[in-house]
Coordinates of all heavy atoms in Angstrom, one line a residue:
M71 N -163.2 -99.1 -84.3 CA -163.4 -98.0 -83.6 C -162.3 -97.9 -82.5 O -162.0 -98.8 -81.7 CB -164.7 -97.9 -83.0 CG -165.0 -96.7 -82.2 SD -166.1 -96.8 -80.8 CE -165.2 -97.9 -79.7
K72 N -161.7 -96.7 -82.4 CA -160.7 -96.5 -81.4 C -161.3 -95.8 -80.2 O -161.9 -94.7 -80.4 CB -159.5 -95.7 -82.0 CG -158.4 -95.4 -81.0 CD -157.2 -94.7 -81.8 CE -156.1 -94.5 -80.8 NZ -155.8 -93.1 -80.4
G73 N -161.1 -96.2 -79.0 CA -161.6 -95.6 -77.9 C -160.7 -94.6 -77.3 O -159.7 -94.3 -77.9
Y74 N -161.1 -94.1 -76.2 CA -160.3 -93.0 -75.5 C -159.3 -93.7 -74.6 O -159.4 -94.8 -74.2 CB -161.2 -92.1 -74.7 CG -162.2 -91.3 -75.5 CD1 -163.6 -91.7 -75.5 CD2 -161.7 -90.1 -76.2 CE1 -164.4 -90.9 -76.3 CE2 -162.7 -89.4 -77.0 CZ -164.0 -89.8 -77.0 OH -164.9 -89.0 -77.8
E75 N -158.3 -92.8 -74.3 CA -157.2 -93.3 -73.3 C -158.0 -93.4 -71.9 O -158.9 -92.6 -71.6 CB -156.1 -92.4 -73.3 CG -155.3 -92.4 -74.5 CD -154.1 -91.4 -74.5 OE1 -153.8 -90.9 -73.3 OE2 -153.6 -91.1 -75.5
E76 N -157.4 -94.2 -71.0 CA -158.0 -94.4 -69.7 C -158.1 -93.1 -68.9 O -159.2 -92.9 -68.3 CB -157.1 -95.5 -68.9 CG -157.7 -95.7 -67.6 CD -157.0 -96.8 -66.9 OE1 -156.0 -97.3 -67.4 OE2 -157.3 -97.1 -65.7
E77 N -157.2 -92.3 -68.9 CA -157.3 -91.0 -68.3 C -158.4 -90.1 -68.8 O -159.1 -89.5 -68.0 CB -155.9 -90.1 -68.4 CG -155.9 -88.9 -67.7 CD -154.5 -88.2 -67.7 OE1 -153.5 -88.7 -68.2 OE2 -154.5 -87.0 -67.4
I78 N -158.6 -90.1 -70.1 CA -159.7 -89.3 -70.7 C -161.0 -90.0 -70.3 O -162.0 -89.3 -69.8 CB -159.5 -89.2 -72.2 CG1 -158.3 -88.5 -72.5 CG2 -160.8 -88.5 -72.8 CD1 -158.2 -87.1 -72.1
E79 N -161.2 -91.2 -70.3 CA -162.4 -92.0 -69.9 C -162.7 -91.6 -68.4 O -163.9 -91.4 -68.1 CB -162.1 -93.5 -69.9 CG -162.2 -94.1 -71.4 CD -162.0 -95.5 -71.4 OE1 -161.6 -96.2 -70.4 OE2 -162.3 -96.0 -72.5
N80 N -161.7 -91.5 -67.6 CA -161.9 -91.2 -66.1 C -162.4 -89.9 -66.0 O -163.4 -89.5 -65.2 CB -160.6 -91.4 -65.3 CG -160.3 -92.8 -65.1 OD1 -161.0 -93.7 -65.2 ND2 -159.0 -93.0 -64.9
L81 N -161.9 -88.8 -66.8 CA -162.4 -87.5 -66.8 C -163.8 -87.4 -67.3 O -164.7 -86.7 -66.6 CB -161.5 -86.6 -67.5 CG -160.0 -86.3 -67.0 CD1 -159.3 -85.6 -68.0 CD2 -160.1 -85.5 -65.7
M82 N -164.0 -88.1 -68.3 CA -165.4 -88.1 -68.9 C -166.4 -88.6 -67.8 O -167.5 -88.1 -67.7 CB -165.5 -89.0 -70.2 CG -164.7 -88.3 -71.3 SD -164.5 -89.5 -72.7 CE -166.2 -89.8 -73.2
Y83 N -166.1 -89.8 -67.2 CA -167.0 -90.4 -66.3 C -167.3 -89.4 -65.1 O -168.3 -89.4 -64.7 CB -166.4 -91.8 -65.8 CG -167.4 -92.4 -64.9 CD1 -168.5 -93.1 -65.3 CD2 -167.2 -92.4 -63.5 CE1 -169.5 -93.7 -64.5 CE2 -168.1 -93.0 -62.6 CZ -169.2 -93.6 -63.1 OH -170.1 -94.2 -62.2
R84 N -166.2 -88.8 -64.6 CA -166.4 -87.9 -63.4 C -167.3 -86.8 -63.9 O -168.1 -86.3 -63.0 CB -165.1 -87.4 -63.0 CG -164.4 -88.4 -62.1 CD -163.1 -87.9 -61.5 NE -162.0 -88.3 -62.3 CZ -160.8 -87.8 -62.3 NH1 -160.5 -86.7 -61.5 NH2 -159.8 -88.2 -63.1
H85 N -167.2 -86.3 -65.1 CA -168.1 -85.2 -65.5 C -169.5 -85.8 -65.7 O -170.5 -85.2 -65.1 CB -167.7 -84.8 -66.9 CG -168.5 -83.6 -67.5 ND1 -168.7 -82.4 -66.9 CD2 -169.3 -83.7 -68.5 CE1 -169.6 -81.8 -67.6 NE2 -169.9 -82.5 -68.7
Y86 N -169.7 -86.9 -66.3 CA -171.0 -87.6 -66.5 C -171.9 -87.7 -65.4 O -173.0 -87.4 -65.3 CB -170.8 -88.9 -67.3 CG -172.0 -89.8 -67.5 CD1 -172.8 -89.5 -68.5 CD2 -172.3 -90.7 -66.6 CE1 -174.0 -90.3 -68.7 CE2 -173.5 -91.5 -66.8 CZ -174.2 -91.3 -67.9 OH -175.4 -92.1 -68.1
V87 N -171.3 -88.3 -64.3 CA -172.0 -88.5 -63.0 C -172.5 -87.3 -62.3 O -173.5 -87.4 -61.5 CB -171.2 -89.4 -62.0 CG1 -170.9 -90.8 -62.6 CG2 -170.0 -88.8 -61.5
N88 N -172.0 -86.1 -62.6 CA -172.6 -84.8 -62.0 C -173.5 -84.2 -62.8 O -174.0 -83.1 -62.5 CB -171.3 -83.9 -61.8 CG -170.5 -84.4 -60.6 OD1 -170.9 -84.6 -59.5 ND2 -169.1 -84.8 -61.0
L89 N -174.0 -84.8 -63.9 CA -174.9 -84.2 -64.8 C -176.4 -84.5 -64.4 O -176.6 -85.6 -63.8 CB -174.7 -84.5 -66.3 CG -173.3 -84.1 -66.9 CD1 -173.2 -84.8 -68.3 CD2 -173.3 -82.6 -66.9
S90 N -177.4 -83.7 -64.9 CA -178.8 -84.2 -64.7 C -179.1 -85.3 -65.7 O -178.2 -85.6 -66.5 CB -179.7 -83.0 -65.1 OG -179.6 -82.7 -66.5
E91 N -180.1 -85.9 -65.5 CA -180.5 -87.1 -66.3 C -180.5 -86.7 -67.8 O -180.0 -87.5 -68.6 CB -181.7 -87.8 -65.8 CG -181.6 -88.5 -64.5 CD -180.6 -89.6 -64.6 OE1 -180.5 -90.4 -65.5 OE2 -179.9 -89.6 -63.6
K92 N -181.2 -85.5 -68.1 CA -181.3 -85.1 -69.5 C -179.8 -84.9 -70.0 O -179.5 -85.2 -71.1 CB -182.2 -83.9 -69.6 CG -182.3 -83.4 -71.0 CD -183.2 -82.1 -71.1 CE -182.3 -80.9 -70.7 NZ -182.9 -79.7 -70.9
D93 N -179.1 -84.2 -69.3 CA -177.7 -83.9 -69.7 C -176.8 -85.1 -69.9 O -176.0 -85.2 -70.8 CB -177.0 -82.8 -68.8 CG -177.7 -81.5 -68.9 OD1 -178.3 -81.1 -69.9 OD2 -177.5 -80.6 -67.9
K94 N -177.1 -86.0 -69.1 CA -176.3 -87.3 -69.2 C -176.7 -88.0 -70.6 O -175.8 -88.4 -71.3 CB -176.7 -88.3 -68.1 CG -176.1 -88.1 -66.8 CD -176.5 -89.0 -65.7 CE -175.8 -88.7 -64.4 NZ -176.2 -89.6 -63.4
R95 N -178.0 -88.0 -70.9 CA -178.5 -88.6 -72.1 C -177.8 -87.9 -73.3 O -177.3 -88.5 -74.3 CB -179.9 -88.5 -72.3 CG -180.7 -89.5 -71.6 CD -182.2 -89.5 -72.0 NE -182.8 -88.3 -72.0 CZ -183.5 -87.7 -71.0 NH1 -183.4 -88.3 -69.8 NH2 -184.1 -86.5 -71.1
H96 N -177.8 -86.6 -73.3 CA -177.3 -85.8 -74.3 C -175.7 -85.8 -74.5 O -175.2 -86.0 -75.6 CB -177.7 -84.2 -74.2 CG -179.2 -84.1 -74.3 ND1 -179.8 -83.0 -74.2 CD2 -180.1 -85.0 -74.7 CE1 -181.1 -83.1 -74.4 NE2 -181.3 -84.3 -74.7
Y97 N -175.1 -85.8 -73.4 CA -173.5 -85.9 -73.4 C -173.2 -87.3 -73.9 O -172.3 -87.4 -74.8 CB -173.0 -85.7 -72.0 CG -171.5 -85.9 -71.9 CD1 -170.7 -85.2 -72.7 CD2 -171.0 -86.8 -70.9 CE1 -169.3 -85.3 -72.5 CE2 -169.6 -87.0 -70.8 CZ -168.8 -86.2 -71.7 OH -167.4 -86.3 -71.6
A98 N -173.9 -88.4 -73.4 CA -173.5 -89.7 -73.9 C -173.9 -89.9 -75.4 O -173.0 -90.4 -76.1 CB -174.3 -90.8 -73.0
A99 N -174.9 -89.3 -75.8 CA -175.2 -89.3 -77.2 C -174.2 -88.6 -78.1 O -173.9 -89.1 -79.1 CB -176.6 -88.7 -77.5
I100 N -173.8 -87.4 -77.7 CA -172.7 -86.8 -78.5 C -171.5 -87.5 -78.5 O -170.9 -87.7 -79.6 CB -172.6 -85.2 -77.9 CG1 -173.7 -84.4 -78.0 CG2 -171.3 -84.7 -78.4 CD1 -173.9 -83.2 -77.3
E101 N -171.1 -88.0 -77.4 CA -169.8 -88.8 -77.4 C -169.9 -90.1 -78.3 O -169.0 -90.4 -79.0 CB -169.4 -89.2 -76.0 CG -168.9 -88.1 -75.1 CD -167.6 -87.4 -75.6 OE1 -166.9 -88.1 -76.3 OE2 -167.4 -86.3 -75.3
A102 N -171.0 -90.7 -78.2 CA -171.3 -91.9 -79.0 C -171.2 -91.5 -80.6 O -170.7 -92.2 -81.4 CB -172.6 -92.6 -78.8
A103 N -171.9 -90.4 -80.9 CA -172.0 -89.9 -82.3 C -170.6 -89.6 -82.8 O -170.2 -89.9 -83.9 CB -172.9 -88.7 -82.4
K104 N -169.7 -89.0 -82.0 CA -168.4 -88.7 -82.3 C -167.6 -90.0 -82.7 O -166.8 -89.9 -83.6 CB -167.7 -88.0 -81.3 CG -168.1 -86.5 -81.1 CD -167.5 -85.7 -79.9 CE -166.3 -86.2 -79.3 NZ -166.0 -85.4 -78.1
L105 N -167.8 -91.0 -82.0 CA -167.1 -92.3 -82.3 C -167.6 -93.0 -83.5 O -166.8 -93.9 -83.9 CB -167.1 -93.2 -81.0 CG -166.4 -92.5 -79.8 CD1 -166.8 -93.4 -78.6 CD2 -164.9 -92.5 -80.0
G106 N -168.8 -92.9 -83.9 CA -169.3 -93.6 -85.1 C -169.7 -95.1 -84.7 O -170.1 -95.3 -83.6
H107 N -169.4 -95.9 -85.7 CA -169.9 -97.3 -85.5 C -169.3 -97.9 -84.2 O -168.1 -97.9 -84.0 CB -169.4 -98.1 -86.7 CG -169.9 -99.6 -86.7 ND1 -171.2 -100.0 -86.8 CD2 -169.2 -100.7 -86.3 CE1 -171.2 -101.3 -86.7 NE2 -170.1 -101.7 -86.4
G108 N -170.2 -98.4 -83.4 CA -169.7 -99.1 -82.1 C -169.6 -98.0 -81.0 O -169.5 -98.4 -79.8
G109 N -169.9 -96.8 -81.2 CA -169.8 -95.7 -80.3 C -170.9 -95.9 -79.2 O -170.6 -95.6 -78.0
I110 N -172.1 -96.3 -79.6 CA -173.2 -96.4 -78.5 C -172.8 -97.4 -77.5 O -172.8 -97.2 -76.3 CB -174.5 -96.7 -79.3 CG1 -175.0 -95.4 -80.0 CG2 -175.5 -97.1 -78.1 CD1 -176.4 -95.6 -80.7
T111 N -172.4 -98.6 -78.0 CA -172.0 -99.7 -77.1 C -170.8 -99.2 -76.2 O -170.8 -99.5 -74.9 CB -171.6 -101.0 -77.8 OG1 -172.7 -101.4 -78.7 CG2 -171.1 -102.0 -76.9
Y112 N -169.8 -98.6 -76.7 CA -168.6 -98.2 -76.0 C -169.0 -97.3 -74.9 O -168.5 -97.4 -73.7 CB -167.6 -97.6 -77.1 CG -166.4 -97.0 -76.4 CD1 -165.3 -97.8 -76.0 CD2 -166.3 -95.7 -76.1 CE1 -164.1 -97.3 -75.5 CE2 -165.2 -95.2 -75.5 CZ -164.0 -96.0 -75.2 OH -162.9 -95.4 -74.6
I113 N -169.7 -96.3 -75.2 CA -170.1 -95.2 -74.3 C -171.1 -95.8 -73.2 O -170.9 -95.5 -72.0 CB -170.7 -93.9 -75.0 CG1 -169.7 -93.3 -75.9 CG2 -171.3 -92.9 -74.0 CD1 -168.5 -92.8 -75.1
A114 N -172.0 -96.6 -73.6 CA -173.0 -97.2 -72.7 C -172.1 -98.1 -71.6 O -172.5 -98.0 -70.5 CB -173.9 -98.2 -73.4
E115 N -171.2 -98.7 -72.0 CA -170.2 -99.5 -71.1 C -169.4 -98.5 -70.2 O -169.3 -98.8 -69.1 CB -169.4 -100.5 -71.9 CG -170.1 -101.6 -72.5 CD -169.3 -102.5 -73.4 OE1 -168.1 -102.3 -73.5 OE2 -169.9 -103.5 -74.0
L116 N -168.9 -97.5 -70.8 CA -168.1 -96.6 -70.1 C -168.8 -95.9 -69.0 O -168.3 -95.8 -67.8 CB -167.5 -95.6 -71.1 CG -166.7 -94.4 -70.5 CD1 -165.4 -94.9 -69.7 CD2 -166.3 -93.4 -71.5
F117 N -170.1 -95.4 -69.3 CA -170.9 -94.7 -68.4 C -171.8 -95.6 -67.5 O -172.5 -95.1 -66.6 CB -171.7 -93.7 -69.1 CG -170.8 -92.5 -69.7 CD1 -171.4 -91.7 -70.7 CD2 -169.6 -92.2 -69.2 CE1 -170.5 -90.7 -71.2 CE2 -168.8 -91.2 -69.7 CZ -169.3 -90.4 -70.8
G118 N -171.9 -96.9 -68.0 CA -172.9 -97.8 -67.2 C -174.3 -97.5 -67.4 O -175.1 -97.6 -66.5
C119 N -174.6 -97.0 -68.6 CA -175.9 -96.6 -69.0 C -176.5 -97.6 -70.1 O -175.7 -98.4 -70.7 CB -176.2 -95.2 -69.4 SG -175.3 -94.8 -70.9
D120 N -177.8 -97.5 -70.2 CA -178.4 -98.4 -71.3 C -178.2 -97.8 -72.6 O -178.2 -96.5 -72.8 CB -179.9 -98.5 -71.0 CG -180.5 -99.6 -71.8 OD1 -180.6 -100.7 -71.3 OD2 -181.0 -99.3 -72.8
R121 N -178.0 -98.7 -73.6 CA -177.9 -98.3 -75.0 C -179.1 -97.4 -75.5 O -179.0 -96.5 -76.2 CB -177.7 -99.4 -75.9 CG -176.4 -100.2 -75.8 CD -176.3 -101.5 -76.5 NE -177.0 -101.4 -77.7 CZ -176.4 -101.2 -79.0 NH1 -175.1 -101.1 -79.0 NH2 -177.1 -101.3 -80.0
Q122 N -180.2 -97.8 -75.0 CA -181.5 -97.1 -75.3 C -181.5 -95.7 -74.8 O -182.0 -94.8 -75.6 CB -182.7 -97.9 -74.9 CG -184.0 -97.2 -75.4 CD -184.2 -97.1 -76.9 OE1 -183.8 -98.1 -77.6 NE2 -184.5 -95.9 -77.3
T123 N -180.8 -95.5 -73.8 CA -180.7 -94.1 -73.1 C -180.0 -93.2 -74.1 O -180.4 -92.0 -74.4 CB -180.1 -94.2 -71.8 OG1 -180.8 -94.9 -70.9 CG2 -179.8 -92.8 -71.2
I124 N -178.9 -93.8 -74.7 CA -178.1 -93.0 -75.6 C -179.0 -92.8 -76.9 O -178.8 -91.7 -77.5 CB -176.7 -93.7 -75.9 CG1 -176.0 -93.8 -74.6 CG2 -176.0 -93.0 -77.0 CD1 -174.7 -94.6 -74.7
A125 N -179.6 -93.9 -77.4 CA -180.5 -93.6 -78.6 C -181.5 -92.6 -78.4 O -181.8 -91.7 -79.2 CB -181.0 -95.0 -78.9
T126 N -182.1 -92.5 -77.2 CA -183.1 -91.5 -76.8 C -182.5 -90.2 -76.9 O -183.0 -89.2 -77.4 CB -183.7 -91.8 -75.4 OG1 -184.4 -93.1 -75.5 CG2 -184.8 -90.7 -75.1
G127 N -181.2 -90.0 -76.3 CA -180.5 -88.7 -76.3 C -180.2 -88.2 -77.7 O -180.4 -87.1 -78.0
L128 N -179.9 -89.2 -78.6 CA -179.6 -88.9 -80.0 C -180.9 -88.3 -80.7 O -180.9 -87.3 -81.4 CB -179.1 -90.0 -80.8 CG -177.6 -90.4 -80.6 CD1 -177.4 -91.8 -81.2 CD2 -176.7 -89.3 -81.1
E129 N -182.0 -89.0 -80.5 CA -183.3 -88.5 -81.0 C -183.7 -87.1 -80.4 O -184.2 -86.3 -81.2 CB -184.4 -89.5 -80.8 CG -184.3 -90.8 -81.5 CD -184.2 -90.5 -83.1 OE1 -185.0 -89.8 -83.6 OE2 -183.3 -91.2 -83.7
E130 N -183.5 -86.9 -79.1 CA -183.8 -85.7 -78.4 C -183.0 -84.6 -79.2 O -183.5 -83.4 -79.5 CB -183.5 -85.7 -77.0 CG -184.6 -86.5 -76.3 CD -184.3 -86.7 -74.8 OE1 -183.2 -86.4 -74.4 OE2 -185.1 -87.2 -74.1
L131 N -181.7 -84.8 -79.4 CA -180.8 -83.9 -80.0 C -181.2 -83.5 -81.4 O -181.1 -82.3 -81.8 CB -179.4 -84.3 -79.9 CG -178.8 -84.2 -78.5 CD1 -177.5 -85.0 -78.4 CD2 -178.6 -82.8 -77.9
K132 N -181.6 -84.5 -82.1 CA -182.0 -84.3 -83.5 C -183.2 -83.4 -83.6 O -183.4 -82.6 -84.6 CB -182.2 -85.6 -84.3 CG -180.9 -86.4 -84.5 CD -181.3 -87.8 -85.2 CE -180.1 -88.6 -85.3 NZ -180.4 -90.0 -85.8
K133 N -184.1 -83.5 -82.6 CA -185.3 -82.7 -82.6 C -185.1 -81.3 -82.3 O -185.8 -80.3 -82.6 CB -186.3 -83.2 -81.7 CG -186.8 -84.6 -82.1 CD -187.8 -85.1 -81.1 CE -188.4 -86.5 -81.5 NZ -189.4 -87.0 -80.6
M134 N -183.9 -81.0 -81.7 CA -183.6 -79.6 -81.3 C -183.1 -78.8 -82.5 O -183.1 -77.5 -82.4 CB -182.4 -79.6 -80.2 CG -182.9 -80.3 -78.9 SD -181.5 -80.4 -77.8 CE -181.8 -79.3 -76.6
I135 N -182.7 -79.5 -83.5 CA -182.1 -78.6 -84.7 C -183.2 -78.1 -85.5 O -184.2 -78.6 -85.7 CB -181.3 -79.7 -85.6 CG1 -180.1 -80.2 -84.8 CG2 -180.8 -78.9 -86.9 CD1 -179.3 -81.2 -85.4

């Protein structure tokens, strides 16, 4: 899995910290899904959140469809 460049990671993090808790879950989940295998771990480390938070966000988004 190829990650993002440092400048993009910084922008993503700055955006993430200003979101509500629900929006954080959903944003992290979408980014992880875009990356595919290893995406959850990568995004959890980038944002400093729990992997389960991202998994919960993915499940919430799937229920919206």
